[in-house]
Amino acid sequence: MSSASTAPLDILNEVFGYAAFRGQQQPIVEHVVAGGDALVLMPTGGGKSLCYQVPAIVRHRRQRGVAIVVSPLIALMHDQVGALEEAGVHAAFLNSTLSLEEAQQVEREMMSGRLVLLYAAPERVTTPRFQAQLESLHERGLLSLFAIDEAHCVSQWGHDFREDYLGLSVLHERWPDVPRIALTATADALTRADIIERLQLRDAQVFISSFDRPNIRYTIVEKDDARRQLLRFVRDEHDGDAGIVYCQSRKKVEETAAWLNDEGLSALPYHAGLEADVRRRHQDRFLREEGIVMVATIAFGMGIDKPDVRFVAHLDLPKNIESYYQETGRAGRDGEPADAWMTYGLADVVNQRRMIDESPAGEEFKRGQRAKLDALLALAEAHDCRRVRLLAYFGERSTTCGNCDNCLHPPATWDATEAARKALSCVYRFHQQRGQRFGAGHLIDVLRGKETEKVAQYGHRGLSTFGIGADLSELQWRGVLRQLIALGHLRAEGEYNTLELTESAREVLRGEVQLLLRVPAEAPRRGRAARGGGREKPAPVALDEDGQRRYAALKAWRAEVAREHNLPAYVVFHDATLAEMARRMPASLDALSGISGVGARKLEAYGEDLLRVLAGVPA
Ligand code: ADP
Ligand code: ZN
């Protein structure tokens, strides 16, 4: 294959070492190469970068032009440029981390037309100085395209960097003949309309990919002892893997990270309350080392394009499905199996509802928030395919996925209608007695007929509802109450989350509403898992023992190279590429080049070394 080929597929093979375009990459690339504008909506991990990198290379090979990539995230620029240079594509970034001399050097490369891609932050792109440079490039026919990454930043729906992004409409105004490609993983219609409007992309072709992430397995478990559940999940299924654990509060982040460390994991905390350099150090370690578990608030994650995050766990309920999808989407960008795991319980429902109720926002806004929370609760309580529900929320129709907890282990359900009536009438009795309200704990004690101090103090032994629910476990009762709150028949109020009937409780009391609950996963299902019903740990490729040894040797070699080049390991080669080498044991450069992820430049730079590593390990 000639290195002068300008055919997109040749470039994909030769430069990136990939055999075929994915999803809609090919029509997008062709459209942009032909000079059209495009708006690309693709989920995280869908492969957005190649949609502008391949056209940039094609156009550069044809006419030496440079592509300007607008990106808000400095850490990301560094790694993207590193990855391109590793693949033999001349790329650079301009941002505040460069010294004056370094910046001038990059500018010279850009102005000469030798650079293929230049990454810059939006605020730099709109400066008069940079605009003058673009003008000069344009005059000489060296401006090949504009790529606007994270394009949702321009939207009014609450994003950082917005001011800087708004200024980008100047690109189209000044150089209407230069093709533009805007990219985002944010799917909703409002944001999309906003991007088109503000970036003046009315004539752009819109490419919408399915937002499904088939390699992510969704699991939502009932909260029992959240930390222990998390630990069991990580130990059983993700020993040694990199993952993110989301918690709601900074305090919980710190405590959970410390506890996981005590339990022998490599966990680091991350939240907005930590010093900037601590945050940077932790993020760096997460990106560069293997098997780090990042315990974080939602402050962590934007722009994290580490491809081999194997799990995202939620110890607290997110605000809505959008957040849940965005956060879980950080798992498995490399397309290999990954887990989105959440533990969820009564307190989550109560807390999220409270946060909305007590926020100073207007009533209409709160109504919107409640509706979004309801959709998430419905997902959490669902007995049917989680993915079908998730995708439906984003307007996509699909069929049962076979890769979520409910598909894999269809939950047994039980009819909780009668139990719900008992619970509600007990709340009613409390109220009737002295106008009093109590929280879930006491309510459950009364239903189960427990003789506690509080029961004695309030004389609740004498209630007609005392002990009428002794047949159900505490966990089952919590499930009933959780669902009653989720469905809005009960409301938790005040400092002590005391429970109160709502208007709609009457329908349940009259027996007009049927309540079907999942059987708490605990008793019946734990046994199954213990007998091996759990699944195998996802490995890139199943390797035998010798294969594992070769894989380990390759990883050690890669760590060395990554350190030398000051880059994360995955920039050198992905896990999947190394695993494929370990499995196929290529013995020649030619055989090596057939492995996905091995492009011409990497073959030249590392081929001999790799063959030596592979040969050096006893077969
Ligand atoms: P996004 O920016 O959409 O989240 P990326 O551009 O980072 O996704 O791509 C995700 C991963 O998929 C990257 O590791 C990339 O190398 C890989 N990838 C993208 N396109 C292909 C392809 N056609 N064949 C193989 N791997 C691909
Ligand atoms: Zn499913």
Side-chain angles (χ1 to χ4, degrees):
M1 188 187 326
S2 138
S3 70
S5 172
T6 58
L9 188 60
D10 287 346
I11 288 172
L12 183 75
N13 300 155
E14 175 210 317
V15 177
F16 298 96
Y18 296 143
F21 282 111
R22 261 194 205 158
Q24 296 201 74
Q25 283 174 334
Q26 184 164 1
I28 295 167
V29 166
E30 281 168 1
H31 182 73
V32 177
V33 164
D37 289 347
L39 172 59
V40 172
L41 304 147
M42 212 182 253
T44 307
K48 283 186 284 300
S49 321
L50 288 182
C51 294
Y52 60 83
Q53 289 170 349
V54 173
I57 298 168
V58 172
R59 291 176 71 94
H60 181 84
R61 287 186 178 180
R62 287 192 186 158
Q63 56 191 19
R64 286 174 55 236
V66 55
I68 308 298
V69 184
V70 183
S71 165
L73 303 154
I74 290 177
L76 214 70
M77 285 184 201
H78 177 264
D79 292 350
Q80 287 251 2
V81 164
L84 283 164
E85 288 280 337
E86 283 288 317
V89 179
H90 193 21
F93 57 80
L94 277 177
N95 64 35
S96 51
T97 65
L98 298 183
S99 68
L100 187 61
E101 293 79 57
E102 287 169 327
Q104 282 170 345
Q105 170 66 22
V106 169
E107 286 181 357
R108 272 197 301 277
E109 288 296 291
M110 168 170 89
M111 298 314 286
S112 72
R114 277 193 297 271
L115 210 55
V116 184
L117 293 114
L118 178 91
Y119 286 74
E123 67 272 20
R124 177 172 301 250
V125 172
T126 45
T127 58
R129 177 182 164 80
F130 197 81
Q131 294 271 302
Q133 288 170 330
L134 291 181
E135 183 60 43
S136 157
L137 283 170
H138 185 253
E139 273 169 13
R140 293 179 288 138
L142 293 180
L143 198 48
S144 75
L145 72 93
F146 293 117
I148 302 168
D149 207 2
E150 313 284 353
H152 57 274
C153 289
V154 81
S155 150
Q156 59 181 308
W157 305 101
H159 292 291
D160 309 333
F161 317 108
R162 173 146 192 262
E163 288 307 310
D164 302 324
Y165 265 78
L166 283 175
L168 294 175
S169 57
V170 70
L171 302 180
H172 181 56
E173 284 152 17
R174 288 193 68 172
W175 304 288
D177 60 323
V178 177
R180 290 174 306 153
I181 171 171
L183 310 104
T184 177
T186 304
D188 66 279
L190 279 176
T191 309
R192 195 186 315 162
D194 231 21
I195 296 172
I196 292 175
E197 178 68 27
R198 301 193 188 260
L199 293 179
Q200 302 185 12
L201 284 165
R202 272 161 297 236
D203 297 328
Q205 187 164 338
V206 181
F207 295 89
I208 304 177
S209 302
S210 163
F211 270 70
D212 188 17
R213 302 286 310 282
N215 60 314
I216 297 183
R217 174 173 297 180
Y218 298 97
T219 302
I220 302 177
V221 303
E222 220 161 323
K223 199 173 275 185
D224 177 1
D225 178 347
R227 276 183 185 177
R228 295 243 154 251
Q229 287 173 300
L230 172 71
L231 187 66
R232 204 181 315 139
F233 162 71
V234 176
R235 284 214 175 121
D236 288 356
E237 312 208 11
H238 290 287
D239 197 23
D241 286 342
I244 306 174
V245 176
Y246 281 112
C247 304
Q248 200 162 52
S249 70
R250 296 172 183 187
K251 183 161 167 270
K252 188 158 169 188
V253 163
E254 303 263 356
E255 289 170 358
T256 307
W259 185 77
L260 287 176
N261 274 312
D262 288 345
E263 293 292 330
L265 272 65
S266 305
L268 295 172
Y270 190 106
H271 57 71
L274 294 170
E275 298 282 335
D277 69 307
V278 174
R279 288 206 305 266
R280 198 167 331 110
R281 208 169 54 235
H282 288 186
Q283 172 167 326
D284 259 15
R285 285 192 56 194
F286 179 70
L287 294 179
R288 274 146 217 260
E289 293 175 28
E290 289 198 37
I292 300 267
V293 176
M294 190 67 111
V295 185
T297 60
I298 52 171
F300 181 74
M302 166 102 168
I304 295 300
D305 73 344
K306 185 176 169 63
D308 54 355
V309 175
R310 292 270 68 87
F311 67 92
V312 169
H314 280 92
L315 285 188
D316 295 303
L317 195 68
K319 273 208 307 280
N320 51 42
I321 290 187
E322 285 90 340
S323 309
Y324 173 74
Y325 208 61
Q326 193 172 48
E327 285 148 27
T328 55
R330 292 170 185 144
R333 295 173 78 118
D334 54 8
E336 302 294 327
D339 272 295
W341 181 93
M342 177 160 84
T343 158
Y344 140 91
L346 175 60
D348 286 298
V349 185
V350 170
N351 287 341
Q352 287 291 356
R353 283 233 188 279
R354 273 261 307 275
M355 266 161 49
I356 298 173
D357 290 345
E358 289 170 6
S359 91
E363 208 32 60
E364 194 187 339
F365 183 78
K366 287 187 185 179
R367 244 197 316 278
Q369 300 287 86
R370 282 190 198 108
K372 284 181 175 238
L373 176 59
D374 286 343
L376 179 61
L377 294 176
L379 173 74
E381 299 285 356
H383 323 137
D384 50 5
C385 178
R386 310 262 191 208
R387 192 179 316 266
V388 166
R389 281 175 180 264
L390 272 171
L391 292 174
Y393 185 81
F394 295 115
E396 260 183 65
R397 248 200 286 195
S398 61
T399 52
T400 49
C401 76
N403 193 28
C404 71
D405 53 353
N406 288 349
C407 280
L408 290 163
H409 310 281
T413 54
W414 62 287
D415 188 339
T417 311
E418 203 42 49
R421 291 172 70 180
K422 288 178 182 167
L424 295 180
S425 46
C426 193
V427 174
Y428 181 71
R429 297 275 172 257
F430 289 157
H431 190 71
Q432 222 182 15
Q433 200 182 26
R434 280 184 222 132
Q436 281 163 331
R437 295 199 209 128
F438 297 89
H442 181 64
L443 173 60
I444 293 172
D445 286 345
V446 172
L447 286 165
R448 302 192 66 218
K450 260 170 96 174
E451 310 266 2
T452 65
E453 250 173 62
K454 206 167 183 176
V455 164
Q457 183 187 346
Y458 290 97
H460 282 164
R461 212 182 181 299
L463 289 180
S464 59
T465 49
F466 186 80
I468 56 170
D471 53 327
L472 298 186
S473 71
E474 167 151 0
L475 194 69
Q476 280 174 305
W477 275 118
R478 295 187 83 81
V480 173
L481 298 183
R482 191 184 69 228
Q483 180 128 130
L484 285 171
I485 295 170
L487 293 172
H489 302 307
L490 265 183
R491 190 166 43 222
E493 293 226 311
E495 194 185 345
Y496 301 107
N497 290 315
T498 54
L499 298 170
E500 184 183 36
L501 301 182
T502 67
E503 201 47 38
S504 71
R506 223 174 290 205
E507 297 161 25
V508 182
L509 283 166
R510 282 200 301 256
E512 291 166 11
V513 180
Q514 199 202 11
L515 231 64
L516 272 190
L517 286 189
R518 304 167 64 94
V519 173
E522 229 208 354
R525 290 185 58 207
R526 188 181 277 166
R528 179 154 33 139
R531 283 199 307 273
R535 76 184 147 126
E536 276 177 39
K537 176 172 148 54
V541 191
L543 292 170
D544 60 16
E545 227 171 90
D546 288 337
Q548 293 286 359
R549 265 209 303 278
R550 286 188 291 274
Y551 184 50
L554 290 166
K555 275 186 148 182
W557 167 85
R558 179 181 66 178
E560 198 60 38
V561 176
R563 232 188 330 272
E564 269 170 35
H565 297 207
N566 185 27
L567 286 171
Y570 58 80
V571 166
V572 181
F573 284 113
H574 285 179
D575 286 356
T577 302
L578 294 188
E580 189 65 10
M581 289 179 194
R583 197 174 64 80
R584 297 215 323 226
M585 285 192 289
S588 67
L589 289 178
D590 201 41
L592 198 57
S593 79
I595 286 173
S596 178
V598 184
R601 166 65 211 285
K602 287 187 182 172
L603 186 68
E604 190 187 313
Y606 304 127
E608 300 287 353
D609 278 1
L610 286 168
L611 293 178
R612 248 193 309 278
V613 173
L614 283 165
V617 181

